[in-house]
């Protein structure tokens, strides 16, 4: 068998950590994780996983890869409203660097988009704006440099190891924290609002299925 090689940016984070573990446990792959650990410190101790603990913008690959799975960004909409510059920069600049890797190495990119770009205006908050610009970057590099890219939209991902962002945590994380503390759950509005949630195992299984598909959907 030919061993496949992937870069996972943000591979120390919540989704990235689960994905790296599942990939090396279930397949013959080698993975280079590029992550400055500002959002997560998940480490998989495996001989086929190499960690480059630095900012994506400060790294350049030294070999060919079969794919770049780009998960590195600053999440959370409410947090982006308080720190707009950091949110936009940490979504836009790493994505630009990843597209330069892909252009130089002729490597496809699997990009974690934001579901908020589907359901809210791009100027509603800095996070959605940054993600929308990143989507445009992929499209630009696809048109002019022939880079293959695939958009992946994740919807309210939850599960073991979910990051605690305090007041900016996801509702599942906030509910779990209240429950474990024996406190009542905090409900906004009438409590009749509905929303989709996706377990992290389903998200990582979806990414792996996309990697395996010969005829891949663009989104």
């Amino acid at each position: 068998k030919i061993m496949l090689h992937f870069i996972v940016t943000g591979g120390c984070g919540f989704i990235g950590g689960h994905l790296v573990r599942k990939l090396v446990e279930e397949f013959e792959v080698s993975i280079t994780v590029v992550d400055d650990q500002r959002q997560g410190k998940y480490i998989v101790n495996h001989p086929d996983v190499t960690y480059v603990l630095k900012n994506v913008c400060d790294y350049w690959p030294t070999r060919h890869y079969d794919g770049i799975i780009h998960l590195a960004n600053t999440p959370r909409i409410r947090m982006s409203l308080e720190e707009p510059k950091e949110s936009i920069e940490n979504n836009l600049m790493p994505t630009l660097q990843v597209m330069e890797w892909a252009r130089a190495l002729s490597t496809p990119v699997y990009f974690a988009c934001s579901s908020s770009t589907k359901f809210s205006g791009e100027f509603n908050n800095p996070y959605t704006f940054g993600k929308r610009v990143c989507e445009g970057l992929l499209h630009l590099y696809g048109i002019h440099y022939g880079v293959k890219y695939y958009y992946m939209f994740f919807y309210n991902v939850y599960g073991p190891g979910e990051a605690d962002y305090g007041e900016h945590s996801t509702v599942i994380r906030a509910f779990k924290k209240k429950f474990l503390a024996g406190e009542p759950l905090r409900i906004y509005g009438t409590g009749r609002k509905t929303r989709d949630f996706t377990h992290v195992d389903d998200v990582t299984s979806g990414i792996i299925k996309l990697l395996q598909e010969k005829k891949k959907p663009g989104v």
Side-chain angles (χ1 to χ4, degrees):
K1 291 183 179 179
I2 300 175
M3 178 174 277
L4 298 178
H5 305 272
F6 295 99
I7 292 181
V8 180
T9 69
C12 295
F14 170 46
I15 296 175
H18 281 275
L19 175 65
V20 170
R21 175 186 53 78
K22 185 175 286 191
L23 277 171
V24 295
E25 286 181 356
E26 298 181 10
F27 303 94
E28 290 189 27
V29 297
S30 75
I31 297 173
T32 300
V33 172
V34 185
D35 194 318
D36 61 9
Q37 295 194 313
R38 77 176 68 182
Q39 301 291 348
K41 302 187 185 302
Y42 196 107
I43 296 291
V44 177
N45 293 312
H46 193 283
D48 293 324
V49 182
T50 301
Y51 284 88
V52 179
L53 301 180
K54 59 171 61 176
N55 191 299
V56 170
C57 298
D58 299 326
Y59 176 72
W60 190 265
T62 57
R63 54 156 300 151
H64 174 75
Y65 287 88
D66 295 288
I68 302 167
I69 305 165
H70 182 34
L71 306 175
N73 64 74
T74 298
R76 318 306 316 142
I77 288 175
R78 285 175 59 202
M79 195 158 62
S80 77
L81 289 166
E82 296 176 8
E83 300 287 345
K85 183 174 182 290
E86 179 185 357
S87 178
I88 293 171
E89 281 187 348
N90 200 40
N91 279 295
L92 182 58
M93 300 312 294
T95 303
L96 180 58
Q97 181 78 339
V98 162
M99 296 313 290
E100 280 293 292
W101 297 348
R103 180 173 74 91
L105 303 173
S106 299
T107 302
V109 175
Y110 302 83
F111 176 59
C113 299
S114 168
S115 57
S116 62
T117 62
K118 287 284 190 184
F119 299 109
S120 84
E122 62 190 68
F123 299 111
N124 277 7
N125 60 77
Y127 173 67
T128 301
F129 173 78
K131 281 293 195 177
R132 179 66 79 191
V133 174
C134 289
E135 290 176 26
L137 268 179
L138 270 69
H139 189 55
L140 178 75
Y141 272 70
I143 291 174
H144 292 285
Y145 306 109
V147 174
K148 291 184 179 179
Y149 62 91
Y150 307 96
Y151 294 140
M152 304 183 296
F153 290 90
F154 306 148
Y155 290 78
N156 301 305
V157 185
Y158 72 96
E162 183 178 359
D164 185 357
Y165 293 106
E167 286 297 307
H168 303 300
S169 292
T170 63
V171 67
I172 294 290
R173 173 76 190 192
F175 281 177
K176 183 167 68 173
K177 196 171 182 180
K178 290 284 188 182
F179 175 80
L180 293 175
E183 299 173 2
L185 306 185
R186 182 171 60 181
I187 307 293
Y188 291 99
T190 63
R192 297 177 64 84
K193 187 176 183 179
T194 61
R195 182 178 288 184
D196 292 327
F197 296 92
T198 317
H199 194 277
V200 66
D201 283 349
D202 293 317
V203 169
T204 52
S205 293
I207 296 172
I208 290 171
K209 183 172 176 57
L210 179 62
L211 295 176
Q212 293 174 311
E213 287 289 320
K214 285 186 171 55
K215 190 175 181 181
K216 305 179 194 295
V219 177

